[in-house]
Amino acid sequence: MDNIITVGSFDVKDTKVNRKGGIREDGTSNTKVVSQVIKNMNIDILGVQELTKNYEYNLDKVLRDYYIGGNYRYGDGIFKSIPYNEGNNIISKKKIIYEQTWKLPWLPKIKNIRIGHNMPRIATFALVGNDFVNAVGIINTHLDYIDKDVQKKQLEVIREILLEYSKIAPIFMTGNFNMEPNEEHFKEFIDSIGSLLKRVPIDDYTWYGDDSKKIVDHIFVPNSWNVIEAGVINDGDIVNTSSHRLVYAKAYKR
């Protein structure tokens, strides 16, 4: 079946090592590990979160046959190298023929202000393909994890972006939403876009902490597409590059 698209989502994690380009003390390159998985799995489109400029630079060197699009929360100018200037970039095998990055609502309620934790959030859109007629779109994002009201506002903007760009192409959506499938406001969001997209039911954990595991990384595919395979990468050296797991789905248009 030649119309299968493999789409993935991966929070590469803005750690001290990855912020400097992903080279571990033993010389292992996290970007080489990640790029090999991308190639081995034949991923067509990958939405990444927490990407830093140095990490992107090293990824670009080992993914010469791929395109990387998207901007950063503080832009790509004089602030490009400051700490936590993270991007929700999109990696594509096919040419990125249009891209845009939006700033999302992010200011929390006063009681939820946590200095050093509340930060601007963004969403990136890319149209990928050989031409506009046969292109597909992808929205990739990384949402707030502290304030539910902020999350709701961000989800509403994501929904508006989806509604607008669904007029021109089939849309996929990826991201670290920092919400689990059973959270009420996330379920409401999923229902609100149900006429356009469906969440791929990847129910293995996608993030792990010291004492918990959560499903916070999600993939959505157009309703007119069938999912034939989906999962979480839970083995191999890639699990040592981030506290998140790469999630993927293979789908084709009915």
Side-chain angles (χ1 to χ4, degrees):
M1 193 175 298
D2 58 5
N3 61 342
I4 294 175
I5 289 181
T6 302
V7 61
S9 185
F10 186 37
D11 187 326
V12 298
K13 199 64 180 174
D14 183 2
T15 61
K16 183 178 180 180
V17 168
N18 288 341
R19 196 176 304 137
K20 293 182 178 179
I23 306 299
R24 304 179 206 167
E25 288 187 5
D26 64 1
T28 301
S29 169
N30 285 343
T31 58
K32 287 185 178 179
V33 172
V34 171
S35 66
Q36 197 57 55
V37 171
I38 293 171
K39 294 173 183 176
N40 290 347
M41 293 186 61
N42 200 24
I43 294 177
D44 297 288
I45 310 172
L46 178 68
V48 294
Q49 304 85 41
E50 296 197 36
L51 191 70
T52 59
K53 202 61 189 168
N54 290 332
Y55 201 95
E56 180 191 356
Y57 176 78
N58 285 342
L59 263 181
D60 190 50
K61 288 197 299 185
V62 291
L63 288 173
R64 289 299 187 187
D65 295 331
Y66 291 73
Y67 299 86
I68 302 178
N71 209 329
Y72 289 73
R73 61 158 50 113
Y74 298 120
D76 196 21
I78 60 174
F79 299 114
K80 66 181 179 182
S81 297
I82 67 172
Y84 303 108
N85 186 27
E86 301 164 357
N88 298 331
N89 302 66
I90 292 166
I91 301 171
S92 173
K93 286 177 83 173
K94 290 189 176 180
K95 185 178 180 180
I96 296 175
I97 53 183
Y98 173 81
E99 64 176 82
Q100 186 170 349
T101 298
W102 293 267
K103 293 183 178 180
L104 301 175
W106 67 278
L107 289 173
K109 293 181 176 179
I110 292 177
K111 67 178 182 179
N112 287 333
I113 291 178
R114 294 173 61 185
I115 303 300
H117 293 271
N118 300 110
M119 296 182 184
R121 299 287 175 167
I122 56 176
T124 295
F125 171 80
L127 193 65
V128 303
N130 297 324
D131 52 60
F132 283 95
V133 175
N134 297 301
V136 299
I138 177 170
I139 299 168
N140 180 45
T141 194
H142 182 191
L143 301 187
D144 187 81
Y145 71 99
I146 298 173
D147 192 313
K148 287 186 179 181
D149 289 328
V150 170
Q151 289 179 335
K152 290 177 182 179
K153 292 176 183 177
Q154 292 171 347
L155 288 171
E156 180 55 34
V157 174
I158 297 295
R159 180 176 174 275
E160 292 172 2
I161 294 170
L162 171 63
L163 291 174
E164 183 64 27
Y165 282 95
S166 290
K167 298 174 184 176
I168 63 173
I171 304 296
F172 295 82
M173 185 161 59
T174 58
N176 173 2
F177 287 80
N178 275 313
M179 285 167 265
E180 296 200 86
N182 61 354
E183 293 188 50
E184 193 61 36
H185 57 301
F186 192 49
K187 290 197 297 184
E188 290 174 358
F189 168 72
I190 294 172
D191 290 342
S192 74
I193 63 172
S195 62
L196 294 171
L197 299 186
K198 55 189 175 185
R199 176 185 169 269
V200 178
I202 300 171
D203 296 320
D204 196 0
Y205 76 93
T206 68
W207 171 87
Y208 71 96
D210 293 334
D211 57 359
S212 63
K213 297 176 181 179
K214 295 182 178 180
I215 304 167
V216 295
D217 305 272
H218 305 283
I219 296 174
F220 294 79
V221 302
N223 276 337
S224 58
W225 291 60
N226 281 341
V227 176
I228 58 175
E229 181 183 333
V232 177
I233 305 301
N234 270 329
D235 55 12
D237 198 18
I238 192 172
V239 303
N240 298 315
T241 68
S242 174
S243 58
H244 289 257
R245 299 299 185 237
L246 190 154
V247 297
Y248 73 94
K250 296 179 184 287
Y252 70 93
K253 188 174 182 178
R254 290 199 296 264

